[in-house]
Amino acid sequence: MEFKLIIDRDAPEEVVARVRQRSGLTDQIEELVRSYAGEDMLPGYSEDDMRMLRFTEIECIIVEGGKTYAVDGKGVQYRLKLRLYELEEMLPSCFIRINKSALANEKHLVRFVAGFGGSVDAVFRCGRREYVSRRCFAEIKRRFDGR
């Protein structure tokens, strides 16, 4: 397989892949290209500073007290100025809704833990646990079973 990258600031952006047949890799490349909107970072605010958070380092996005927060790999929360539905539209497809007030980066999910009474929690690398609603869990299950 050959890879060629041509950077031409005057030409319109275009991604062309010449392959013999469609495969899982071509599907992933297509999804990546279609989901990329030119931004892969969000500004996150803490008490004393502002930091640009890469999508890949965000474990989950939660809403608490009417405010939206991104949680990074160390469990630190950063305030975001966008609403959850706005973030859901702009984030790549690896972010999945786990309840009405949280999105999870599926690449940072360690496991799902079943509790008493049928409840399910998502456990992230940083150790944070978030409740998974039944409706969202059914969708997550369909998504993982389809792979």
Side-chain angles (χ1 to χ4, degrees):
M1 184 182 296
E2 185 179 324
F3 176 78
K4 190 183 297 186
L5 176 65
I6 301 168
I7 298 174
D8 183 353
R9 297 190 190 287
D10 298 327
E13 286 193 346
E14 172 185 43
V15 176
V16 177
R18 190 171 298 134
V19 297
R20 290 190 176 104
Q21 66 184 27
R22 198 168 211 20
S23 67
L25 178 60
T26 59
D27 293 342
Q28 288 178 342
I29 292 169
E30 181 180 11
E31 181 180 335
L32 178 66
V33 170
R34 290 186 186 278
S35 67
Y36 184 69
E39 294 290 325
D40 63 350
M41 292 192 285
L42 289 171
Y45 302 88
S46 65
E47 291 178 11
D48 50 351
D49 67 333
M50 188 275 286
R51 181 172 164 233
M52 294 303 288
L53 301 168
R54 291 199 173 281
F55 293 165
T56 55
E57 66 183 299
I58 298 173
E59 299 226 339
C60 63
I61 297 174
I62 56 171
V63 176
E64 289 180 349
K67 296 183 178 171
T68 309
Y69 297 94
V71 180
D72 72 1
K74 297 175 186 167
V76 179
Q77 290 187 5
Y78 293 91
R79 171 92 162 83
L80 302 176
K81 294 195 174 182
L82 296 170
R83 313 283 270 161
L84 198 61
Y85 72 90
E86 294 170 320
L87 291 164
E88 194 170 23
E89 291 173 3
M90 70 182 289
L91 290 168
S93 62
C94 63
F95 282 87
I96 53 178
R97 187 172 283 275
I98 57 173
N99 62 49
K100 75 175 191 172
S101 61
L103 298 173
N105 185 341
E106 71 180 19
K107 295 176 181 176
H108 291 270
L109 282 170
V110 176
R111 65 182 183 277
F112 294 99
V113 177
F116 296 110
S119 67
V120 176
D121 285 349
V123 180
F124 296 92
R125 288 183 189 161
C126 68
R128 185 179 186 90
R129 292 173 75 130
E130 283 293 324
Y131 167 75
V132 180
S133 72
R134 288 183 194 166
R135 177 181 294 157
C136 292
F137 189 66
E139 180 59 35
I140 292 167
K141 217 170 145 185
R142 276 192 295 276
R143 184 174 175 159
F144 284 123
D145 287 343
R147 288 188 177 176

